[in-house]
Amino acid sequence: MAVLNEEQTMIRDGAKSWVSEKSPVTAFRKVRDSGNADGFDRAAWKEMAEMGWAGILIPEDLGGTGLGYLTLGLVLEETGRTLTASPLISTALTATTALLLGASDAQKKKYLPQIAEGKLIATLAVDEGPHHHPEKIALAGTASGGKVKLNGRKTWVLDGGTADLIIVAARTSGKPGDKSGITLVAVDGKASGLTREKLKTVDSRGYANLTFKDVEGEALGSGEGYGILDATLDRARAGLAAEMLGHAAQSFDVTLEYLKTREQFGQKIGSFQALQHRAAKMFTDLELARSCVEGALAAIDKDANDVAQLASLAKAKVGDLVHLVSNEMVQMHGGIGMTDAHDAGLYLKRARAQEATFGGSSYHRDRYATLLGY
Amino acid sequence: MSAAANADTDLEAFRLEARKWLEANFPPSLKGKGGMMMGEDGPSNTTDFAKWKKAMGDRGWGTPTWPKEYGAGGLSTAQARVLQQEMGRIGAFNPIGGMGVMMFGPTLLEYGSPEQKAKHVPGIVKGDVWWCQGYSEPGAGSDLASLRTQCIDKGDHFLVNGSKIWTSGAQFADMCFALVRTDNSKKHEGISFLLIDMKSPGVEVRPIKLISGNSPFCETFFTDVKVPKENLMGPLNGGWTIGKRLLQFERAGLGGGVGGGGLNRGGEARTLDVVAKEYVGANDNGQVADADLRTRLTNHLMDQRAFMMTIFRAQAEAKGNQGPSATTSIMKNAGSRIGQERAELLVEVMGHQGLGWEGEGFTRDELDTIRGWLGGKATTIYGGSQEIQNNIIAKRILGLLDHQ
């Protein structure tokens, strides 16, 4: 655990007690089973915003607290523990980062205070196919009278069905594959020509595929946006990695508890060395991943020059971790872990969605190698 | 002519006979639909399926090698293989299935009394009686012998109280073969093997919803269920041996399933590399674009090849009369692990498209892949978990001692 200051400790403890009281796994189950088309509970999001979580990255003069990424990571770790579905990742982390890094002062003033208040759901639309490849963006943006006209398709947009503001990464010059020629474009969720197809996914959250037909939007800031997109994604990856860390830690804790209570052959199954060693391996991986996640978040706050490397390191290591722990959670629980009534399956399903979002371990290993010059 | 040549001639005669009969009796509308008809949801009930089941049941070819006296096929193993080949040739499948055929029948033939065999085998042969397995209990999974479902001798009948879990297909089963406790003072020697009519008063079945969204298993409750004395199979308190024998039939039928969804489109099988290139793309050399994924796909392909070669080797050794070799002990773990890895790889290959649950935006193949991935997690748990199989390998095959 990172060494926290007083404010961070307070926020972490507040998050811990809020998720256990207001947003335990049963709350997520309720969202899933109620057929809630948003993919999250709006009343819970309101409470989260009232606690200031929507504005942790937003400077005080724009209505937030400006506490930074490590602090938001502490909250995400706790919401990750109980599978809390909310716009924290889409809005408070990703879209907010894009606005902070790329928007003009006027645009920041227009959107960020509303986000901090929890009144504006926002998201970033990047992917266009089954895999995360920001450099391959093809969705066309053409300048027209101070606006940008968008044509194309985006997939797997987080909270894409409900977002009031969609920040679209569009290609305004060059060809797919070029690491330039990208503009970030702010689009109203109700813009004409925009079709949103809500998806029913394995982790029961609010993703959507979006189709743009002559949709008008406003460019964020001015000039080249690929660098802003890249930096935004690294911050989103590190933040998502914090949620994944909490997810893995909770899966591990629940499994460990089961090893200590379930009896077979007249003894606790945790007395079997084969299982003890697997638990020890998970604990080891968990500790290693924690260092990577906290390191990436701290590097972002310090504006260090190795954020990209650390974000890829964190996403790859914690991706492998949730993969392992979610599988072991089901296996070590045996038959009961296969039932929908048990939580293991919920963690397993969410794990694969987390792994794929903003690039899987394989993508980030390759990126890490490239960044290091291998 | 030598005896071997004679046998070959006979086999060819049987092939022609089987071919003629299959062509006359297999409804073409069912061609290639075996997987769909014999799925987890129990026996299918379409008219053509019923016709086909009746024809095979009457002929006894659904249980080709079982004795003729019970209406079964009475075929030699070689003839049964020919029948299988001929069915494959025209896209036919065996419509008589389920646990009665795979697990209970062989055990009944080995341990049942003449009366029990005469009563229960024909129903399995014809596919009229569907059996379910009452083994595991909430507190008795890997440690099956700790089961507690009570069976008390009431003189003219047994009285059963308790509950069983993972009773596959109990919601449409007619009968249940169950392990029950008839002596509380002993562990393994206090277990009996009992046949329970699922329509008896006091039997209640509740489907269990799995993480895949399916409910192939149930929890089955027995409250003061009266069971006729004649339904005790084998000796009182001698059920463990029979129960274990049945598990061997179960394990023989598991683990070979290194198939996996996502490779069919419109009934056309596609290889893993074609699927990978569709979702991930190809590089300038026509290789799967993601090098890391390509390496892991290759590892899987090698594992799968090694597994198939091991199956063939074990079969060859068994045929060569060397008896069952130690090789078979690795089959369930190797097969289930490789199958799960394939499902994981397919989900990963499909990316966001592999993470759908239902509805628009995802193809049937994609949804089948994720559901199959979830369902497949059970393969390292049921039929003796991966851990139990490893114990068996370590202790029985390798001779390693228990923790002292």
Side-chain angles (χ1 to χ4, degrees):
Chain A
M1 179 72 64
V3 181
L4 304 179
N5 63 33
E6 203 176 317
E7 194 155 31
Q8 288 169 331
T9 308
M10 224 170 71
I11 288 180
R12 200 259 330 266
D13 294 348
K16 236 182 222 314
S17 73
W18 184 82
V19 299
S20 73
E21 284 163 34
K22 298 294 189 67
S23 187
V25 181
T26 48
F28 167 69
R29 215 176 251 288
K30 217 166 114 190
V31 171
R32 183 193 73 160
D33 296 341
S34 66
N36 175 331
D38 292 341
F40 66 92
D41 177 0
R42 284 188 185 265
W45 176 236
K46 188 165 177 283
E47 287 189 35
M48 293 164 92
E50 280 164 7
M51 290 183 289
W53 295 356
I56 290 178
L57 299 182
I58 298 171
E60 287 183 57
D61 61 345
L62 291 169
T65 52
L67 291 169
Y69 287 87
L70 185 60
T71 308
L72 181 56
L74 297 171
V75 172
L76 285 166
E77 189 179 333
E78 296 308 321
T79 55
R81 275 186 173 270
T82 61
L83 299 168
T84 302
S86 83
L88 270 181
I89 298 277
S90 63
T91 307
L93 171 68
T94 311
T96 296
T97 299
L99 291 165
L100 286 169
L101 298 180
S104 66
D105 285 347
Q107 288 166 332
K108 285 182 192 169
K109 274 185 194 142
K110 183 176 170 189
Y111 297 121
L112 290 173
Q114 288 193 71
I115 287 179
E117 274 190 79
K119 286 185 177 155
L120 187 86
I121 310 278
T123 191
L124 179 72
V126 188
D127 299 334
E128 300 182 3
H131 292 273
H132 178 70
H133 281 298
E135 68 281 3
K136 288 189 183 166
I137 287 167
L139 183 138
T142 42
S144 88
K147 298 271 182 185
V148 183
K149 196 172 271 184
L150 302 176
N151 280 288
R153 189 164 179 268
K154 291 288 180 185
T155 58
W156 201 248
V157 180
L158 277 59
D159 296 318
T162 46
D164 308 298
L165 169 68
I166 302 160
I167 297 168
V168 183
R171 181 158 293 285
T172 40
S173 71
K175 56 180 192 309
D178 291 352
K179 291 188 171 178
S180 61
I182 299 297
T183 303
L184 296 183
V185 182
V187 172
D188 191 301
K190 293 190 204 70
S192 82
L194 170 64
T195 315
R196 317 207 233 190
E197 181 189 29
K198 284 190 184 181
L199 301 174
K200 288 187 176 162
T201 62
V202 72
D203 63 337
S204 310
R205 276 150 211 258
Y207 306 88
N209 289 341
L210 310 180
T211 309
F212 298 78
K213 202 175 168 222
D214 290 332
V215 175
E216 282 201 346
E218 187 186 48
L220 283 195
S222 59
E224 175 56 41
Y226 189 84
I228 295 165
L229 175 66
D230 205 30
T232 300
L233 286 170
D234 276 333
R235 283 147 184 81
R237 287 158 184 155
L240 177 60
E243 184 195 284
M244 294 163 78
L245 183 67
H247 177 109
Q250 184 67 17
S251 315
F252 178 70
D253 288 352
V254 170
T255 306
L256 191 61
E257 188 54 31
Y258 192 70
L259 296 183
K260 290 175 181 176
T261 47
R262 169 74 172 175
E263 287 186 20
Q264 287 284 271
F265 305 102
Q267 52 202 309
K268 308 278 190 248
I269 60 171
S271 67
F272 297 119
Q273 224 170 40
L275 299 188
Q276 290 176 346
H277 288 183
R278 276 154 63 186
K281 152 104 172 94
M282 282 192 277
F283 178 69
T284 306
D285 290 356
L286 192 56
E287 289 301 309
L288 292 170
R290 176 176 291 285
S291 311
C292 299
V293 172
E294 291 177 352
L297 292 166
I300 296 168
D301 284 335
K302 279 189 295 207
D303 208 12
N305 58 13
D306 56 353
V307 165
Q309 277 178 30
L310 288 171
S312 276
L313 172 70
K315 187 66 175 44
K317 294 308 284 180
V318 85
D320 291 346
L321 175 74
V322 294
H323 194 93
L324 170 73
V325 179
S326 60
N327 276 335
E328 286 285 44
M329 185 183 198
V330 172
Q331 181 68 27
M332 288 188 175
H333 278 83
I336 195 74
M338 282 298 297
T339 64
D340 185 67
H342 194 273
D343 292 341
L346 302 178
Y347 283 90
L348 179 68
K349 293 169 182 176
R350 175 65 184 148
R352 294 303 173 277
Q354 291 170 327
E355 288 172 57
T357 301
F358 303 140
S361 293
S362 170
Y363 174 87
H364 285 290
R365 273 192 290 269
D366 183 67
R367 185 167 180 264
Y368 189 73
T370 305
L371 288 166
L372 287 183
Y374 279 74
Chain B
M1 235 198 283
S2 71
N6 259 329
D8 284 351
T9 315
D10 289 352
L11 214 51
E12 278 319 297
F14 175 74
R15 184 184 297 280
L16 291 178
E17 179 196 343
R19 184 172 296 183
K20 210 171 130 197
W21 187 87
L22 287 168
E23 278 169 359
N25 286 281
F26 179 66
S29 67
L30 299 181
K31 189 176 172 183
K33 291 191 179 157
M36 211 182 303
M37 294 283 176
M38 302 300 293
E40 284 185 336
D41 301 331
S44 181
N45 275 322
T46 66
T47 317
D48 275 352
F49 182 83
K51 221 167 88 185
W52 172 231
K53 194 175 91 170
K54 179 155 177 18
M56 281 288 275
D58 288 347
R59 183 85 200 210
W61 281 359
T63 46
T65 57
W66 294 10
K68 246 191 156 115
E69 57 177 309
Y70 305 112
L75 302 182
S76 67
T77 322
Q79 286 173 321
R81 206 175 308 126
V82 168
L83 176 63
Q84 189 66 38
Q85 289 162 356
E86 288 303 311
M87 287 205 290
R89 201 179 64 89
I90 60 164
F93 57 90
N94 186 350
I96 314 279
M99 294 199 161
V101 173
M102 302 303 295
M103 294 155 62
F104 176 60
T107 317
L108 174 64
L109 288 168
E110 211 172 305
Y111 289 95
S113 67
E115 294 77 19
Q116 286 169 335
K117 286 192 249 188
K119 185 172 175 191
H120 297 296
V121 181
I124 301 173
V125 168
K126 290 200 178 297
D128 291 339
V129 181
W130 197 257
W131 286 80
C132 67
Q133 179 187 36
Y135 270 34
S136 296
E137 297 178 7
S142 285
D143 183 12
L144 182 60
S146 66
L147 60 93
R148 290 198 302 222
T149 292
Q150 284 291 331
C151 174
I152 296 166
D153 190 340
K154 290 284 183 183
D156 63 338
H157 66 273
F158 290 113
L159 196 68
V160 178
N161 277 289
S163 71
K164 293 289 178 183
I165 197 164
W166 316 125
T167 42
S168 334
Q171 65 269 56
F172 22 72
D174 306 292
M175 294 289 294
C176 176
F177 55 92
L179 291 176
V180 293
R181 182 148 303 284
T182 36
D183 185 343
N184 287 319
S185 66
K186 299 188 188 89
K187 192 173 181 181
H188 298 84
E189 294 80 26
I191 293 170
S192 298
F193 196 97
L194 194 67
L195 314 181
I196 305 175
D197 188 333
M198 291 295 281
K199 285 179 284 294
S200 315
V203 177
E204 192 201 336
V205 175
R206 281 185 218 154
I208 301 170
K209 192 173 166 197
L210 294 188
I211 59 176
S212 60
N214 294 337
S215 301
F217 302 107
C218 298
E219 189 160 14
T220 303
F221 300 88
F222 302 94
T223 312
D224 290 335
V225 175
K226 285 185 184 176
V227 179
K229 296 290 277 276
E230 68 206 41
N231 284 16
L232 175 71
M233 198 165 117
L236 189 74
N237 296 323
W240 184 246
T241 312
I242 303 173
K244 264 199 318 191
R245 177 72 181 134
L246 188 139
L247 285 181
Q248 288 176 345
F249 290 118
E250 178 179 12
R251 284 166 193 172
L254 301 171
V258 188
L263 294 184
N264 276 291
R265 178 158 293 174
E268 185 197 335
R270 300 188 302 156
T271 55
L272 200 51
D273 71 308
V274 173
V275 180
K277 285 172 197 168
E278 177 186 328
Y279 286 92
V280 181
N283 64 17
D284 293 342
N285 298 322
Q287 300 163 330
V288 175
D290 181 332
D292 178 295
L293 183 59
R294 181 169 179 262
T295 304
R296 287 181 291 125
L297 287 169
T298 311
N299 263 333
H300 165 73
L301 292 176
M302 287 182 161
D303 277 352
Q304 193 189 24
R305 182 90 175 259
F307 182 68
M308 293 313 293
M309 288 167 83
T310 308
I311 289 179
F312 293 138
R313 179 167 67 84
Q315 282 171 349
E317 286 172 4
K319 225 182 285 172
N321 276 334
Q322 297 172 20
S325 71
T327 310
T328 54
S329 67
I330 69 153
M331 291 303 190
K332 181 167 184 282
N333 272 3
S336 54
R337 174 181 63 81
I338 295 167
Q340 287 181 349
E341 281 168 2
R342 182 184 196 79
E344 288 282 5
L345 283 166
L346 272 168
V347 168
E348 185 179 343
V349 159
M350 290 181 174
H352 307 147
Q353 291 304 119
L355 294 167
W357 184 247
E358 60 190 9
E360 300 300 307
F362 303 98
T363 66
R364 190 69 251 160
D365 297 338
E366 289 163 356
L367 295 174
D368 285 349
T369 296
I370 191 98
R371 303 284 185 130
W373 164 71
L374 287 163
K377 294 294 175 196
T379 59
T380 44
I381 295 169
Y382 64 45
S385 69
Q386 162 199 297
E387 291 78 6
I388 294 294
Q389 301 294 338
N390 276 336
N391 280 345
I392 291 172
I393 295 170
K395 289 177 192 171
R396 292 198 208 145
I397 309 295
L398 305 181
L400 295 168
L401 299 175
D402 256 337
H403 189 62
Q404 302 290 308

